[in-house]
Amino acid sequence: ASYEDYVVDADTVSQYTGLKDANGKRKGFEHPAPYPLILPQRIMRLYSFTGDIILDPFMGSGTTAIACIKECRHFIGFELNVE
């Protein structure tokens, strides 16, 4: 599998989180620092339990939020950048 197979796209972010930009477009597709969904999932499995709350102070495209949903964790996310 290639890196592109693991990067979360805008449709997935919008589907799980409902995040949209200021123009109502789906948020998350053109994030400057995308990372594979499996990365936060593995970290969550190691350092948290089902039902725990995960804090993401740099939410960006929402990859960590999606990982939380898939791993049955709750999440709180902040993002200062409105884009």
Side-chain angles (χ1 to χ4, degrees), residues 15-29:
Q15 174 188 355
Y16 282 102
T17 65
L19 293 175
K20 298 187 186 232
D21 67 13
N23 298 320
K25 294 181 182 178
R26 291 181 177 143
K27 180 177 169 64
F29 189 72

Side-chain angles (χ1 to χ4, degrees), residues 13 17 19-22 27-28 30-35 54-65 75-83:
V13 171
T17 65
L19 293 175
K20 298 187 186 232
D21 67 13
K27 180 177 169 64
E30 296 181 11
H31 192 273
Y35 52 86
I54 306 296
L55 174 64
D56 184 2
F58 312 103
M59 196 161 178
S61 63
T63 305
T64 302
F75 67 92
I76 298 171
F78 301 99
E79 180 59 58
L80 296 177
N81 190 349
V82 295
E83 293 179 9

Side-chain angles (χ1 to χ4, degrees), residues 2-70:
S2 69
Y3 176 77
E4 287 79 20
D5 294 333
Y6 295 102
V7 175
V8 178
D9 64 14
D11 291 332
T12 305
V13 171
S14 184
Q15 174 188 355
Y16 282 102
T17 65
L19 293 175
K20 298 187 186 232
D21 67 13
N23 298 320
K25 294 181 182 178
R26 291 181 177 143
K27 180 177 169 64
F29 189 72
E30 296 181 11
H31 192 273
Y35 52 86
L37 182 60
I38 194 69
L39 180 63
Q41 284 181 297
R42 286 182 179 175
I43 293 169
M44 283 176 210
R45 289 177 196 157
L46 284 170
Y47 296 108
S48 69
F49 298 101
T50 299
D52 280 357
I53 298 172
I54 306 296
L55 174 64
D56 184 2
F58 312 103
M59 196 161 178
S61 63
T63 305
T64 302
I66 294 169
C68 287
I69 293 167
K70 289 187 173 214

